[in-house]
Every structure is written in structure tokens, then in C-alpha cells.
Amino acid sequence: MPDFIAEWLNQNEIFTAMTIMEYWDGMVTTLHLVFLSLVIGLLVAVPLAILRTVRNPFVSGPVWLYTYLFRGTPLLIQLYIIYYGLAQIEGIQETFWWEIFREPFYPALLAFTLNTAAYTTEIIRGAIVSTPNGEIEAAKAYGMNWFMRMRRIVLPSAARRAVQAYSNEVIFMLHASAIASVVTIVDLTGAARNIYSRFYAPFDAFIFVALCYMALTFILVFAFRKLENHLLKHQRPVNG
């Protein structure tokens, strides 16, 4: 940080160079947690969404049950169950898994991943089943098998329809990540809580972190709007 900025920050009691770096570290932790959960959740959701469209209930039923459970219960409860519940599994503290899940970051990552994967599964499933029959019949007429139709026709078409709903899920996960601070993770909200407890200034600490979340949300909205315009540019009328 440049010296003149640090000097300016140190002129007030709350927003000093040290507290700004606390917010910065919290933002890095938040983005790390949200990014990993969204990427892993999306990788899990795509095959689950395909299985969810299968008419065999023995195939689609377990996927439906998973999405129903994680969409029907609060994320905070899921985080508590994973964070506090894993430690109660007999023998886990003698395994290598304990070296991973003893840190609060990984139980939070697991809870966020399972939650966003459930919502994303239903988003992609809805986009898949709304694929126009004409596109599928045309692919069959070209001799494409099921795998080729799914890879070249259905999934690309579904991605264009799902991007708007998925952008809402990404923004929701960014905002929901604030609950990570309840399991001692110092994310953006955790940094604000620490600064509040140190200076007893709730408005300053939490309004500033709210502005940080708002700025990140605006960036996501802008990025997804650009992505949506790119994916749907073929639908724009051609100017004569």
C-alpha cells in the first residue's frame, strides 16, 4: 500500500491501513470460498441434471431426493450439520479426513458446494427439458446418437437458457457466504465483526462491508450481462 494512502487512513480511528487489510483478506477468503463452491458445484450439477431428466425413477429419484433435501432446508442448518456433525462420526479423528475437516474452511466449502449443486441441478434440468423438439428431431435426422445430441445440441442450447437463472444463483451464493463467519471463518462478514468488536462501531464496520458486497454484486451482474449478450447474440435482429 502506498505511504500516502496509509498515512491518510491512519488519520481516523476505524478505517486504518490495518483494518483495510483485514477487509481485503476477508474479501480474498470470501471470493476463494465462493469461487471453489460454484466451480465444483457446477461440475457436479451438470451430470446430475442429465440424470434428473431420465424417465427411470431409480435413476432420477435419488437425484430428486438430493435436490429436495438441500433446497428445502436452510443453508445455515446444513453448515451446522456438516461442521459440527462430521466431528461426531466415530473414528474420523483417526483418519486423514480429520486433517482436512478440522479446519472450518473445508466443511463450509462442502456445505456451500452441496447447496449450490442442488439449485444448479434444477436450473440446468429445467433448461434441458425446455429444449425445442424441433432441435432434437433435426439432430436425430442427422443421425446423431443420444450422447452426441446431448453434447452438441441439448447442453449448448440449455446453457444459453440457463445463464440468467444461474447468475441469480451465483449472486445468492455470494450473499449466502456471509454465514461462513459463524464457523470462525474470517471472511468479509467475519472481518467486519472483528472490527466492530474492537471499535464498537457497528454502522461503520457493517455498512462498509455491505458496500463491498454491493460492489462485487455489480461486477457479477455486469459480467453475466455481457455473457448473456454474447450467448444470445444470434437472436438479435440483423440491421439492414
Side-chain angles (χ1 to χ4, degrees):
M1 181 179 297
D3 293 338
F4 71 93
I5 296 180
E7 183 180 355
W8 176 77
L9 289 173
N10 287 323
Q11 292 176 357
N12 65 84
E13 295 182 356
I14 299 177
F15 296 107
T16 63
M18 184 180 67
T19 57
I20 293 298
M21 289 307 299
E22 286 188 49
Y23 278 119
W24 174 258
D25 292 339
M27 181 180 294
V28 171
T29 301
T30 293
L31 294 177
H32 188 199
L33 182 60
V34 172
F35 176 78
L36 287 178
S37 62
L38 288 172
V39 170
I40 301 173
L42 182 60
L43 294 176
V44 172
V46 172
L48 289 182
I50 296 174
L51 294 176
R52 182 79 170 81
T53 62
V54 176
R55 295 185 178 180
N56 187 338
F58 293 101
V59 176
S60 60
V63 181
W64 172 85
L65 180 62
Y66 157 68
T67 59
Y68 180 81
L69 289 176
F70 278 88
R71 293 167 67 219
T73 54
L75 177 56
L76 180 60
I77 302 302
Q78 298 165 20
L79 177 59
Y80 278 151
I81 291 174
I82 293 175
Y83 180 71
Y84 294 109
L86 287 176
Q88 305 303 318
I89 298 177
E90 186 176 356
I92 193 174
Q93 297 184 9
E94 284 74 37
T95 66
F96 75 95
W97 290 109
W98 183 244
E99 297 300 322
I100 298 175
F101 288 108
R102 67 186 300 177
E103 300 294 332
F105 181 86
Y106 294 102
L109 177 62
L110 179 60
F112 289 175
T113 298
L114 292 174
N115 184 273
T116 188
Y119 281 94
T120 307
T121 295
E122 290 301 321
I123 291 172
I124 298 175
R125 182 202 67 84
I128 290 175
V129 298
S130 63
T131 302
N133 289 329
E135 295 181 8
I136 298 176
E137 293 301 326
K140 290 180 179 179
Y142 271 98
M144 295 183 183
N145 56 29
W146 179 89
F147 178 79
M148 187 173 293
R149 290 198 305 270
M150 187 63 65
R151 182 173 65 88
R152 302 187 62 178
I153 303 298
V154 176
L155 286 181
S157 177
R160 290 192 291 269
R161 290 188 296 274
V163 65
Q164 187 172 16
Y166 185 66
S167 67
N168 293 331
E169 170 61 14
V170 172
I171 294 171
F172 167 78
M173 281 307 302
L174 173 64
H175 295 166
S177 68
I179 68 172
S181 61
V182 303
V183 291
T184 71
I185 294 177
V186 185
D187 62 342
L188 264 174
T189 305
R193 183 176 297 173
N194 291 342
I195 293 169
Y196 156 63
S197 63
R198 189 183 310 150
F199 297 100
Y200 301 101
F203 287 104
D204 304 78
F206 289 111
I207 288 177
F208 182 80
V209 83
L211 293 175
C212 292
Y213 280 113
M214 189 178 298
L216 293 173
T217 301
F218 285 155
I219 293 173
L220 288 174
V221 170
F222 177 80
F224 272 102
R225 184 172 299 172
K226 289 292 184 181
L227 177 62
E228 187 176 358
N229 290 338
H230 174 73
L231 294 176
L232 301 179
K233 63 181 179 181
H234 64 284
Q235 296 182 355
R236 292 198 296 265
V238 179
N239 295 327

